[in-house]
Amino acid sequence: MKTRTRTWCLCLAALLASLLPLGASADDERTVTNAFGDTHIPARPQRVVTLYQGATDSAVALGITPVGVVDSWLEKPMYRYLRDDLAGVEHVGLETQPNLEKVAWLEPDLIVATRFRHERVRPLLEKIAPTVATDTVFDFKATLKLIAEATGREARARELLRNWDTRVADFRQRIADTLGDAWPQKAAVVRFKSDHVRIYSTGFAGSILNELGFEQPNSLHDQGWGMKLTSEENIPVMNADVIFVLLEPNDPAIMRNYRHWTSHPLWKRLDAVQDERVFEVNAVDWIMGGGILAANAMLDDLYTHYGLDDPHAPTTSAAACADETSSTSRAHDKESSAC
């Protein structure tokens, strides 16, 4: 049965690939350089499938409603902050194992993937539709720029990134003025699981904290993505000026482990604990969302936790941008201060 299904998928993918280019001319295409090389795509792709979380977030931010998305890691089947914008959109399996038959049936004219997840199935994806990819899943700026270039929404992406840069500059100035000599702070991003603890040094949250001026704890230098801690004796590794705790409150096993570790005497000796700078934050915004909407939500948290005024907080919803895009941006990409 599995062999027959795979054969049918490949045949369908090949058929779609043979049909899509019909009637296209050089003027109807653009070439986008990406992690999969130079990809020729329609000048204005209308049916977009996103195969990782950051791509889905970025598409919504740009006013695009994909025809297909992969399931979310938490809050299944889709993160709450994206549900209104993605109501009725087809799901095409997991980020790590997309259902290629479902993707093919959607007849996309653009697939957004990532080499980190999808290098192995790249040949099959490219038979279904033109496919562009980023190198990683967590570089939200690269994802935003790639999707914008592939769909002709470069002006909208520039505006989103200008707004982001303005917020970053404002936060850096305000936190430096507020903390004085206590800035910059060393920040630990800690995620409690049911049987261990992870402390991150890179990835989505780490890259944003670095851009904002935070520093890494001394224990994380040259540790790659971070560290997995399985014994309470390792608690001193988490020592930092501030600790951001990623929780999944609906998982009883995780919450039990969290209470167990945080009741240990070594936890109570951590600098952040003694200074009351341990903040519980949303794992979706901080590591799972992966796009510019999640990045802004993470920055919202930081303004709030440090008690800073936030004069540049985004006020326009992604849904409003999508409504505007449906009537304007398919023909021309216009500058928009709102979107």
Side-chain angles (χ1 to χ4, degrees), residues 209-231:
L209 290 174
N210 181 66
E211 184 177 1
L212 293 171
F214 288 90
E215 296 179 349
Q216 290 188 5
N218 296 332
S219 60
L220 287 183
H221 288 271
D222 302 319
Q223 291 297 323
W225 67 268
M227 301 176 67
K228 178 179 177 180
L229 310 178
T230 58
S231 169

Side-chain angles (χ1 to χ4, degrees), residues 139-141 161 163-169 171-173 175 183 203-215 295 298-299 302:
D139 188 341
F140 73 93
K141 295 181 183 180
L161 291 173
N163 291 342
W164 171 259
D165 290 341
T166 298
R167 294 193 78 196
V168 168
F171 180 87
R172 290 178 65 109
Q173 184 63 54
I175 196 169
W183 180 254
F204 186 70
S207 64
I208 291 173
L209 290 174
N210 181 66
E211 184 177 1
L212 293 171
F214 288 90
E215 296 179 349
M298 176 179 165
L299 189 48
L302 289 165

Side-chain angles (χ1 to χ4, degrees), residues 74-140:
L74 301 175
E75 300 177 351
K76 293 182 179 296
M78 182 48 57
Y79 299 129
R80 294 187 184 94
Y81 78 98
L82 294 175
R83 287 180 185 174
D84 289 344
D85 297 287
L86 299 176
V89 171
E90 291 289 334
H91 284 245
V92 295
L94 304 176
E95 181 173 315
T96 52
Q97 192 174 2
N99 186 320
L100 300 184
E101 187 173 4
K102 283 188 175 181
V103 173
W105 275 112
L106 291 173
E107 300 186 23
D109 48 17
L110 177 66
I111 298 171
V112 184
T114 170
R115 184 163 62 182
F116 177 71
R117 299 278 192 216
H118 307 118
E119 179 69 37
R120 183 175 57 85
V121 296
R122 171 185 174 182
L124 300 178
L125 293 173
E126 292 178 336
K127 286 182 179 180
I128 298 172
T131 302
V132 296
T134 56
D135 279 312
T136 69
V137 296
F138 64 80
D139 188 341
F140 73 93

